[in-house]
Structure formats: C-alpha cells, structure tokens
Amino acid sequence: MTAVQTSAERSGAERAGATSGRDQYPAGALVVVRDEEWLVRSSMPTSDDGTRIEVTGVSEFVRDQEAVFFSGLDRIELLDPGATRLVMDDSPNYRRSRLFLEAVLRRTALPQSERRLALADSFLMDPLPYQRRPAQLALSGANLRPRLLIADVVGLGKTLEIGLTLAELIRRGRGERILVVTPQHVLEQFQHELWTRFAIPLVRLDSVGIERIQREIPAGRNPFTSFKRVIVSIDTLKNTDQYQHHLEQIRWDAVVIDESHNLINRGSLRNQLARTLAPRTDALILASATPHNGDAKSFAELIGLLDPVAIRDPENYRAADIEHLFIRRTKISPEVREQMKGQWADRGPSRSVHCPATPAEERIFEELATVWLPGDGGTSVSAVPLFPYTLLKSFLSSPAALRSTVSARIRTLEKKEDQRSAEAELAALHRLSGLAAGLTEADSAKFAALVRVLREEIGVGPASETRVVVFSERVQTLEWLAGVLPAALGFRGRAARDCVRVMHGGLSDEQQMDRVEEFGLADTPVRVLLTGDVASEGVNLHRQCHQLVHYDVPWSLIRIEQRNGRIDRYGQSHPPEFRALVLTSEVAGAKDDTVVAERLLEREDQAHRSLGTAEAVTGLYRAEAEERSLIQDLLRGRTVDESLDTPRAGADGQDAGLDDFLADFFGSVDATTDTAGTPGAGGGGGQAGAGTPSSADGDDVSPVLPRLFDSTAHFVDEALREVYPDARDRLELDRDQQSGLISFRPPAELVHRLKALPSDYLREQRLRERLLVTFNRRLAEHSLQRARQSSTSSWPEISLLTDLHPVVDWLTDKVLVGLGRQEAPMITANVAEPVYLVQGVYSNKLGRPTVVKWMGVTWREAAWEGLAVDDMVTLLRRAGVGPAMANKRGYRDPEPLRAALPRVLETAEAFLNAHRDAWDEPLRRPVEEYKLRLGAWEQPTLGGERTRERLADLAESLLTTGRPLLRVLAVLVPDTETDATRGNGDGTRPVSLSDPSSAAFHHSPPLAAL
C-alpha cells in the first residue's frame, strides 16, 4: 500500500487527529451527531464519558438549538477533509466564499502560543495601556495558566481590567463558562460594566435568581449548568451546605473573585468557597485593592489559590517570587500618572469642618472625660478597657448612636448574675443615658454644620441637581439623619421622602443594588446618599457626584482611603472634594475629633500624595486591625502619630517583615516603571506593572487576528446582505448612515440567544421586539451616558457591536452554515495554479488549540510535488480576493481538483510536522520551568503529593499532542481566460507558490508512493 493510498483511505476520525483514544473537536468544526449537523462551540475532555462538546444546531431540524454531547455516549463524526465536496459560488464578488472564510477565521480560537492582545482596541473603553497590563500578564506564559491577582489600589479601573482579560480568554476559546463572584452590593454594577463595555453578558444569580431557577428546573438539577456565564454574590455562594455539591460537580473556564481579601481567613465560609472553586477552573482572577491582612503566611495562602507551588516556604519568600502572579499600581505610579494626565482630576485634602460642641454635648464630653476616659492615671469606671472608646466613638457619631450603645451595654450588664461588680458602671451608664435622652438635632453641632455645608458650600437643595454622599459608621446615625435632614435642607412633601436614600449592611442585596443604581442615575430625585462603610468597597458613586462628607471619621487610614475612593476614581470628571465634620470641645482632657480623627485625615492625605496609598503606613493592612491597635495605643498614652509610626508585627503577632516583603509589595511606588518586555524582568519593589511583558506605550496591541475584511462593521454589513437580502422588509432593518445607528427586529433564533442578557435589560429596552446597535463608539458612549441621566433605567438603548456581541456571533454562525455539509467553494482568482486553502490545528489533551495555521497548498501532478505556504490571508490579498473581484460564474469541473485532495492534505500535514517543534518551543519552555518548580516544592499538607501529581498532569496536558486536524476551506482556481505567461494585462502576474518570495515549503511523497 502506497503512502498516497494510505492518505486517501484514512478514516475521517484519523484525518481529524483522533489518536490514542483522544477525540478532538475544535471550536468551529462541523460534526454529525444523531444524523444531524452541529457546529462545535467548545469541547472539554471528561474522566468518564469521553469529550464533552457544546454545539449549536446547523441542519434544518435542529437549527440554532443548543446541545451537549459526550463522545463516550454518542457517536460524534468529525467530517473527513478528504471527502470535502468542491462547489461553485455564484454570489456577487464571491461574497459567500469571502464571508465563509472570514467566519471560519473568527470562529477559530486563538492558539495558546498567541500571547498578544487581540481585541483591546474594540471595546467601549479608553485606550489606556496600564489597563491592558493585567490581560497581558495573564496571557504572557509567565504563569502556566491565566491566573493572577489584580491588586491595583482603589479607583484605577479593576473591573475594566477584568473585562478585557475575560474578553481575550473568550477569543481564545478559554472563556465559554465564566463565574464571577462579587460582594452583593456591586453585582449589578459589575454586570452592567461587562455588558455595556465588552458585550459580555452575565446572568445575575442573586438569592432571588437562584430560587427562581431552582423552581424552573427539575429537582436536584445543578442551577449553575443552566447558564454559561453567571455572576453571583459571595454572600449567596458561601453557603457551602447548600451549594457545595453543585460547585464540586462543575468546571469553569474562568472564575473571577472580586474583593478577594475576604478569602484569607482559613476556616471561614469564604475561604472554603475559594478552595472549592480554585482547582475547578482554568483561569482564576482575584481582585482586591487591599489583599493583605498583615500576615505574610496568610497572603501566601491567597497566592496558593492561584498557584500552589509559587511559594516554596510561606515563612520565607519575597515579592519577586510571585511577580508573575500579581500586578499592582497606584494613581501616582508613573505609567498611570502619565496616561491619566488631564483625564482624572486630582483630589484635594479632606477639609476639616470644626463643629464647636453645644452645651448639651459639652456635658457629655465632661462625663466621658472624668468617668470613662480619665487622664493623669485615673481609672475608668468600666472593667472592659476598650468599651470607653466605643462609647466615645458613638458619641462622636451622633446622639442616636450614643443612646443605642448605652442601651445595649445596660442590657448586657443587667443580665450578669453578679450585679454588684457592675453597679458603678451601670450607674454611670444611666447618667449618660439621661444626658443623651433629650438630645435632638438642635443639640447637635455636627448636624448644624452638615446642613450649613450642604446648603451653602456644596449647594444641595430643592432647586439644585447637586449630589453628595455622606458616610457614617453607625446605622443609628444614618437612620436618624434620614429622618431629620430633608426638612432641614428645605425639602417638603414627596420631595422630602425621595431626596435622601440610606444604605447599610442590614439591607438585602437587591435593596443595596437599587440604592447604588438610583444614586447613579441623573434624573432620579435622590440628592443625598447616607451610607455606611458597606459602600466603601467596590461601589461606584462618582457618576453624578464629586462631593463626599465624613459625618464621622473611621479610626483607620485604610477605611478613610476606601471611602474617598468611591468618588475619586477612574471616570471622575470633576476634582473630588472631601469634608469631615470635626466635633471640638473646650472641656479639659476631652478626647474630641481633633485628637484622633483630624490627625488621621491629615496622615491619610500625606500617604496618598507620597505613596499613592495609605495601606502600608501602619503595617497592619486591615481596617479593623488598624483601629484596634490605635485604641490600644491610646490606652497606653500614645498619640496618634506615635501609634502610626510604631513598627508593627504581623497578624499572628510575629514579625511579618520577611526582608521588608510587605513594604516591597504594598509600599511606595518606584520612580521608574518596569518595561523590560519580558515576564520577571522587574521584581516586586512596588513597581508599577512588575513582571508585565509589554512596553508602556501599548505597542503590543498589533494585528494578531487574521482577517479578510478590513473591519467587523464591513463583515456584518456584507453578512446581512448575504443572509438577509430582504432585510429591510423581513427584519424591518433601518440604518442611519449619518449616525451609524442600526435598528432591526431580531428573528427568533437571535431572540433565543439574547436570553443570556440581563432580564431587566431585555424587559426595559424591549430587546425582543427591536434591537438598536452601532459600530460608532461615540454614539454608544453617548447612549450609555444618556442612560445614566434616565430615572427609569441605567441600561443604554444602543449597544456597541464588538466581536463578542451576540449579533456578530449570530451572523458569524449564519454565514458558516451557508454552505452545505462539508462543502468548500471554488473561487476564480489571480493564481497560476489551483491553490487549496487549508486550516491546520494542533491541540493539547484538553482540546485547546496550541497551534493554528492558515495555509495555501498546491499539488503538481506532473512533478509529484506539493507546496505549502503559511500565510493564507496574504495569499488571498495577492490573488485579488476581495470585494472588488468579479465573479464570472464560469463552469469548472471540480473532479480533477477533488482528486488531488489526498495529496494536498498530505502536503499540508508534512508542512505542519516539519515546523511543529519550532512552534511548540514557546509552549514547552514554561511547562519545563514549572515542572522544575514543582519538583522542588515542599508539600505542606497531607494532600500535597496528590496536588503535585495533579499539577504535573496539568502541565503535560498543555503541550501539543497527536496529529493536526485539517480542514479544506476553499480552492483558488486560475482564470482560464488569463494567459499565465502574459500576465493579467494590468502589470501583475498570477500568484504562484513556487515564487521564491512566497517562502514555499516543498514536499514530495516518499519513493514508495511512486
């Protein structure tokens, strides 16, 4: 049997590259299952049932239906390229063929070896290189998998950085199944940003959403299998008793955990959740502006979620050991400062508004100073050392907060069996209760100052659109202010009910999200948001607001910075203004707000300007630890400055310095930025973008996507003409040429795809009836801004058509199935001999492409020689394949072309095999380096050896294996009316692969074939 005969008779499965029991079904391939034709969306091997493939129906009976098949349970036939049928294309300018080729290019996942960003310029975001760096690091190969901690400080745009990273993973076929886990109050905000900016729809599964799904699906069914991309609050998901089993039964392509510092405490429900998810996802993105609790060992555990072997010794490691896993910048980082020049107004200091205590308040100051917090070595009436400061902080907040704290303490003491030991404290508490009982807003110096500041300085009132956010630590203060503030500001009737909103941790996730959305919409009547520190993490409050008032000041630099970061963040168009109400006293020894609060405000501002962040000042890295340490120091007689400047121990009470590791990681940002261009070139050092593999000016965003059409807009336009030539009537399509707005009624199959969009968005914008889309970024941005001016919905009516948009996705699939089963078009082009366009894909054991090549291949029967070139798109352009080419609709006999297919495919495979080692090198190098680290890893737990084996298997599974999958896409045929020896009459000559400039690969069959 000759080699050529072997090629001709090779089975379809072998042609597709199935070897050693491993099935390959790359995205974009056509398969036949149960006698129906399906388009592969994604595939993943399983331990028991072969390969799991997600598909969309192509043939008429299953058109646009979604299904999942397993190769171990169903016969899945991957079509044999040797049996490809060559067909004529009678469409104008060979439009059908060009669209088909473009659709295959778009549907094929980018290979693992492609490290550059492919989509960075196509989304609704500013072209800021610093926001691209996390995606660059995730894809750089510095880490075995796309896993990283985004530790940028408050306000730099971590959500945008996450969105871009997810988009790049989706384009690589590594983002089909996505789980985003966030605090409950930012669920809708995160969902909104990923759709409006990137066209990534996330189904929101809050507590109500999960209950609804569980009512709709069969009992016992996993609710997380109903949708491919979901967002859920960590407070809902941490209920491991309810969801643990479901989470253990599902694998994700990518998991995002926002505010990931909440995962650190071992044994907590959040920590258990993270430990469940981390090994069950390929990509893992953790995000936190404060990811450290002051204990380097705990931080090592957080890093261990990303890569268990990154840190050999959790007691002794440096920032440079993990630079491939984290990225951290501040507002004063050189690259951020330079790129944001003129786009992000500088903040001013927190201005203290002194509020001289009223006579009623002075009496309480005197009681606290003499009985509860006496100086000069006096003894407090309380046996609990920290409680007097709890009383003081309550009083400095409001009379309502003081009354609540006193009442709670009285109830606690009255429950004690030994009442005599608490008699003195109870008596003192009752005196305080009496002093506070009759206090109203008229007795509050802070309240009077707040009203004055809001009305006279900031301009809040019935005739003003100005908004302000007012922070307080105490729920009692917030609720008291909500009751008395509207009238004091001049609001009456319904306006008095609507002008103020309260937000705190006692509200449900739906209520919290509603408060944030209402405050961010310009047309709503809310003017003042009274919020607790639940809004100090992750919440965007800057859309309609640049004014913030600290009604009381937290005794933590970190908390002050987090609060300020709600309005001082990327996208703020006005200079943020901060004010703090400082209650002052004339009582000797009184610890008023000038003693602690005012000094903390000054130190936070100093740290922000010199370091870019206040997190490293105390060395404690947690707001609660900062406050506790400060109070303990005050009890010892230290001042605020002495407390802040005292060297600290880690969270476990031991030195966590590790050669200044924490200062290295969280300290000041160096004056220079690492732009060496290779992972690991920079070291930690707090450097902006340490370890990120690209230049600061964004040069890495070069064209990495092979394209036949010059833009997505051109592709969509031509696709609509081809698929719906009667679109104006059938889809009621209308296009505004001046603005770029496209309006149409979505057909049933597109409506089916829109189910992944947020339900309230679908309902509010009536998207099932009419879609408004555009390629005009300015129009899309204007629509987004207009939505924020609305009082009814924050969802824009016009969406930007990106490569990931469901409309583009739908049209791409419609074009792909425009040809019949396993058909390839013949195109008359400027070529000297028939050229077969062949796709070649190498994959790894996980079914992901490692190498993707687009080839031009020809076979010369007389010389028994095959030639191949590795640049199909350039070849097509040189051959004149484009919108200007003419289709003469001449008849050609496809049989001679079809007869050469076996030899063409053998030439293509020989070309791929000849270069495979060189193409594999970028993949092998990081795998070998990882295996070396794995070999040196010391297993700290009983399961360490199993973890080592799992990670070793994972590393091996990433390498190319088996034979390439080949697919014949089209054949370029010479124009018989053109004499190749005379040229084309226009100064050009037909393209030939034998031209030395083509760098052709020559292949001749072995002698046995002759």
Side-chain angles (χ1 to χ4, degrees):
M1 181 178 297
T2 68
V4 173
Q5 289 172 320
T6 302
S7 297
E9 298 173 2
R10 191 175 295 138
S11 71
E14 288 175 329
R15 280 284 194 189
T19 59
S20 305
R22 179 180 60 83
D23 301 313
Q24 288 185 328
Y25 307 100
L30 292 175
V31 296
V32 177
V33 188
R34 302 178 187 178
D35 203 33
E36 297 293 342
E37 194 170 348
W38 307 82
L39 180 70
V40 177
R41 308 300 300 235
S42 66
S43 66
M44 177 182 294
T46 68
S47 56
D48 301 321
D49 300 321
T51 300
R52 178 186 190 275
I53 65 168
E54 296 185 10
V55 295
T56 299
V58 171
S59 51
E60 191 63 35
F61 186 68
V62 294
R63 180 70 52 82
D64 288 307
Q65 292 185 25
E66 296 179 354
V68 175
F69 297 114
F70 293 86
S71 63
L73 305 178
D74 279 287
R75 185 174 183 271
I76 302 175
E77 181 186 354
L78 190 60
L79 302 181
D80 176 13
T84 300
R85 294 189 302 115
L86 304 180
V87 297
M88 296 290 298
D89 177 3
D90 59 358
S91 64
N93 312 110
Y94 290 103
R95 183 174 63 204
R96 188 177 309 131
S97 297
R98 292 185 294 107
L99 286 168
F100 172 73
L101 291 171
E102 175 77 5
V104 173
L105 290 168
R106 287 174 172 271
R107 183 60 69 212
T108 301
L110 290 178
Q112 282 186 180
S113 54
E114 181 53 74
R115 307 298 192 191
R116 296 169 297 171
L117 302 190
L119 302 175
D121 288 330
S122 60
F123 300 118
L124 204 60
M125 60 184 293
D126 295 329
L128 297 174
Y130 89 82
Q131 291 184 343
R132 297 170 178 168
R133 287 187 178 274
Q136 292 163 354
L137 179 58
L139 301 172
S140 67
N143 187 24
L144 202 60
R145 293 177 288 172
R147 292 183 159 225
L148 77 156
L149 165 64
I150 303 178
D152 287 345
V153 299
V154 173
L156 263 64
K158 287 189 288 293
T159 304
L160 296 178
E161 294 168 353
I162 291 169
L164 182 56
T165 304
L166 291 177
E168 290 290 339
L169 291 174
I170 291 170
R171 186 59 185 86
R172 285 158 172 77
R174 305 179 74 169
E176 282 299 303
R177 298 194 57 82
I178 295 174
L179 172 66
V180 176
V181 183
T182 75
Q184 59 187 13
H185 52 275
V186 297
L187 275 177
E188 185 164 317
Q189 174 182 296
F190 206 108
Q191 180 191 35
H192 188 276
E193 286 288 278
L194 259 66
W195 168 252
T196 58
R197 300 292 183 185
F198 303 95
I200 300 176
L202 299 174
V203 176
R204 194 171 77 222
L205 296 185
D206 49 27
S207 53
V208 176
I210 290 183
E211 289 177 5
R212 176 178 53 81
I213 290 173
Q214 289 182 323
R215 289 195 301 267
E216 296 173 356
I217 63 179
R221 177 82 176 270
N222 191 333
F224 299 109
T225 61
S226 299
F227 300 97
K228 294 192 299 183
R229 296 168 184 164
V230 301
I231 183 170
V232 61
S233 83
I234 194 167
D235 299 292
T236 298
L237 207 58
K238 72 181 182 183
N239 187 345
T240 52
D241 291 340
Q242 184 174 357
Y243 301 118
Q244 179 82 20
H245 174 70
H246 292 316
L247 293 173
E248 289 176 346
Q249 299 305 310
I250 194 168
R251 290 197 63 85
W252 303 92
D253 291 316
V255 168
V256 176
I257 305 180
D258 195 21
E259 304 298 342
S260 55
H261 54 270
N262 294 315
L263 310 176
I264 288 179
N265 297 328
R266 180 180 283 272
S268 69
L269 293 177
R270 289 182 173 90
N271 183 267
Q272 293 177 35
L273 169 64
R275 288 177 169 276
T276 298
L277 294 174
R280 291 174 173 82
T281 180
D282 177 43
L284 178 61
I285 304 171
L286 306 179
S288 173
T290 56
H292 214 293
N293 67 352
D295 177 14
K297 188 173 181 179
S298 295
F299 185 70
E301 184 175 332
L302 184 66
I303 293 297
L305 295 173
L306 300 170
D307 182 0
V309 305
I311 297 175
R312 292 182 57 185
D313 181 3
E315 303 286 351
N316 184 21
Y317 64 100
R318 299 172 182 271
D321 297 333
I322 58 171
E323 64 179 1
H324 59 295
L325 294 168
F326 81 86
I327 188 166
R328 174 176 172 78
R329 284 80 50 89
T330 75
K331 190 177 178 180
I332 69 169
S333 298
E335 61 172 339
V336 178
R337 184 177 64 244
E338 183 64 27
Q339 293 165 28
M340 293 305 302
K341 189 178 298 182
Q343 299 186 52
W344 186 354
D346 288 333
R347 55 168 268 190
S350 295
R351 185 167 68 81
S352 296
V353 179
H354 281 209
C355 313
T358 64
E361 290 173 326
E362 288 286 43
R363 287 192 288 273
I364 295 177
F365 266 125
E366 186 172 6
E367 179 74 9
L368 291 173
T370 57
V371 177
W372 297 91
L373 292 163
D376 299 327
T379 303
S380 172
V381 71
S382 178
V384 179
L386 298 182
F387 179 69
Y389 279 97
T390 302
L391 272 180
L392 173 64
K393 291 195 68 184
S394 296
F395 171 58
L396 293 174
S397 180
S398 72
L402 176 62
R403 287 192 290 266
S404 176
T405 300
V406 169
S407 298
R409 182 63 176 166
I410 289 175
R411 289 193 299 271
T412 298
L413 293 179
E414 286 179 344
K415 292 177 182 179
K416 294 184 65 173
E417 294 182 5
D418 183 7
Q419 291 289 318
R420 289 178 299 176
S421 65
E423 287 179 357
E425 185 173 353
L426 274 169
L429 286 167
H430 283 296
R431 285 197 305 275
L432 263 182
S433 180
L435 290 171
L439 296 185
T440 68
E441 61 270 25
D443 300 299
S444 172
K446 277 191 173 182
F447 181 77
L450 177 66
V451 172
R452 178 180 57 79
V453 165
L454 293 182
R455 296 189 70 166
E456 299 177 12
E457 296 185 16
I458 298 177
V460 177
S464 171
E465 301 292 321
T466 301
R467 301 192 180 197
V468 64
V469 55
V470 178
F471 270 99
S472 171
E473 291 187 306
R474 308 290 170 145
V475 173
Q476 298 81 10
T477 301
L478 296 171
E479 293 178 340
W480 169 67
L481 287 173
V484 298
L485 187 58
L489 292 175
F491 290 93
R492 299 289 184 269
R494 182 173 181 177
R497 296 193 303 271
D498 294 340
C499 69
V500 171
R501 289 292 179 266
V502 176
M503 179 174 166
H504 54 72
L507 302 179
S508 69
D509 50 359
E510 287 286 344
Q511 290 172 319
Q512 292 182 42
M513 288 186 291
D514 288 345
R515 301 291 192 274
V516 173
E517 180 178 22
E518 192 174 8
F519 189 68
L521 295 174
D523 281 356
T524 58
V526 62
R527 293 295 175 265
V528 180
L529 178 65
L530 301 169
T531 182
D533 286 321
V534 67
S536 67
E537 290 187 353
V539 179
N540 291 333
L541 301 178
H542 67 294
R543 301 296 185 193
Q544 311 297 336
C545 174
H546 66 280
Q547 302 281 358
L548 184 150
V549 176
H550 299 281
Y551 194 82
D552 52 42
V553 178
W555 286 10
S556 159
L557 299 178
I558 291 174
R559 190 70 76 204
I560 295 171
E561 179 177 71
Q562 288 175 332
R563 284 184 178 185
N564 291 345
R566 295 313 100 211
I567 65 169
D568 180 25
R569 56 197 303 107
Y570 170 70
Q572 176 60 267
S573 56
H574 301 280
E577 296 184 19
F578 311 110
R579 293 172 177 84
L581 305 183
V582 174
L583 187 62
T584 64
S585 173
E586 297 294 331
V587 171
K591 291 181 171 55
D592 62 11
D593 275 325
T594 63
V595 174
V596 177
E598 192 165 41
R599 190 63 193 130
L600 287 174
L601 292 168
E602 294 171 358
R603 290 294 297 267
E604 186 275 339
D605 185 64
Q606 292 170 9
H608 175 81
R609 297 183 187 285
S610 62
L611 306 177
T613 175
E615 296 157 6
V617 171
T618 64
L620 294 172
Y621 305 98
R622 280 290 178 271
E624 299 80 3
E626 281 190 332
E627 180 174 338
R628 185 169 57 252
S629 176
L630 175 59
I631 293 176
Q632 289 171 344
D633 282 344
L634 292 174
L635 286 170
R636 298 186 185 103
R638 292 174 176 167
T639 66
V640 169
D641 287 307
E642 289 171 342
S643 176
L644 296 180
D645 295 335
T646 300
R648 299 294 172 181
D652 58 359
Q654 299 177 357
D655 180 16
L658 295 177
D659 278 338
D660 297 323
F661 164 64
L662 300 187
D664 198 24
F665 189 80
F666 284 91
S668 61
V669 179
D670 288 350
T672 58
T673 301
D674 169 37
T675 57
T678 55
Q687 291 186 18
T692 23
S694 64
S695 61
D697 60 5
D699 289 341
D700 69 298
V701 187
S702 54
V704 300
L705 295 175
R707 290 281 173 86
L708 268 66
F709 287 72
D710 54 13
S711 67
T712 300
H714 187 197
F715 169 72
V716 166
D717 184 59
E718 289 287 277
L720 280 171
R721 294 176 190 275
E722 177 66 23
V723 178
Y724 290 101
D726 54 350
R728 184 173 295 276
D729 296 325
R730 187 173 173 186
L731 302 181
E732 301 172 16
L733 185 141
D734 182 59
R735 184 193 303 267
D736 187 325
Q737 297 295 340
Q738 184 173 0
S739 69
L741 177 64
I742 304 171
S743 168
F744 68 100
R745 178 179 52 79
E749 66 261 28
L750 179 53
V751 170
H752 178 71
R753 295 182 184 225
L754 297 179
K755 70 178 184 178
L757 298 180
S759 57
D760 51 348
Y761 174 43
L762 286 169
R763 181 182 63 257
E764 292 168 2
Q765 300 298 340
R766 304 175 69 179
L767 300 184
R768 297 181 182 90
E769 302 172 26
R770 179 155 291 272
L771 283 179
L772 300 178
V773 295
T774 186
F775 288 100
N776 185 332
R777 290 194 200 183
R778 184 172 298 179
L779 178 62
E781 182 66 41
H782 177 70
S783 178
L784 181 58
Q785 297 302 326
R786 190 169 63 244
R788 294 192 176 117
Q789 308 300 316
S790 166
S791 58
T792 58
S793 174
S794 62
W795 294 103
E797 60 177 352
I798 303 172
S799 61
L800 181 69
L801 285 173
T802 73
D803 283 0
L804 305 183
H805 197 285
V807 169
V808 179
D809 201 55
W810 160 68
L811 279 174
T812 302
D813 285 351
K814 295 287 286 184
V815 166
L816 276 174
V817 302
L819 293 175
R821 180 183 296 184
Q822 207 167 2
E823 291 182 345
M826 297 182 293
I827 306 171
T828 299
N830 183 26
V831 292
E833 57 204 344
V835 178
Y836 298 75
L837 306 182
V838 180
Q839 178 195 44
V841 179
Y842 280 110
S843 298
N844 58 27
K845 290 182 180 179
L846 300 178
R848 300 193 189 104
T850 56
V851 176
V852 177
K853 294 299 174 181
W854 309 92
M855 298 171 283
V857 182
T858 192
W859 173 262
R860 293 171 174 171
E861 190 73 30
W864 281 79
E865 178 187 54
L867 300 96
V869 296
D870 173 21
D871 195 348
M872 182 183 80
V873 173
T874 299
L875 175 65
L876 286 167
R877 289 174 179 155
R878 289 174 56 202
V881 177
M885 69 186 304
N887 186 345
K888 300 178 181 178
R889 295 180 173 84
Y891 173 79
R892 298 176 188 82
D893 181 5
E895 184 55 32
L897 299 173
R898 192 202 64 78
L901 277 177
R903 299 177 182 87
V904 166
L905 291 169
E906 182 167 301
T907 299
E909 186 165 354
F911 171 76
L912 294 173
N913 289 336
H915 297 87
R916 171 175 167 171
D917 288 345
W919 292 331
D920 268 353
E921 179 58 29
L923 298 176
R924 283 197 303 268
R925 188 166 55 252
V927 167
E928 292 304 319
E929 292 173 356
Y930 188 82
K931 288 165 69 175
L932 288 175
R933 291 207 311 271
L934 191 60
W937 180 52
E938 300 174 6
Q939 304 89 43
T941 64
L942 293 177
E945 190 56 42
R946 289 195 300 273
T947 300
R948 186 206 295 272
E949 293 173 358
R950 176 177 63 83
L951 293 174
D953 290 341
L954 172 66
E956 286 294 328
S957 69
L958 299 179
L959 295 173
T960 300
T961 184
R963 295 172 53 194
L965 182 146
L966 300 175
R967 182 179 181 185
V968 179
L969 305 178
V971 184
L972 303 183
V973 184
D975 186 349
T976 56
E977 297 181 8
T978 299
D979 185 342
T981 62
R982 290 188 292 107
N984 298 317
D986 58 359
T988 64
R989 298 187 65 80
V991 175
S992 172
L993 298 192
S994 60
D995 188 325
S997 64
S998 69
F1001 168 86
H1002 293 253
H1003 168 69
S1004 297
L1007 292 177
L1010 303 177

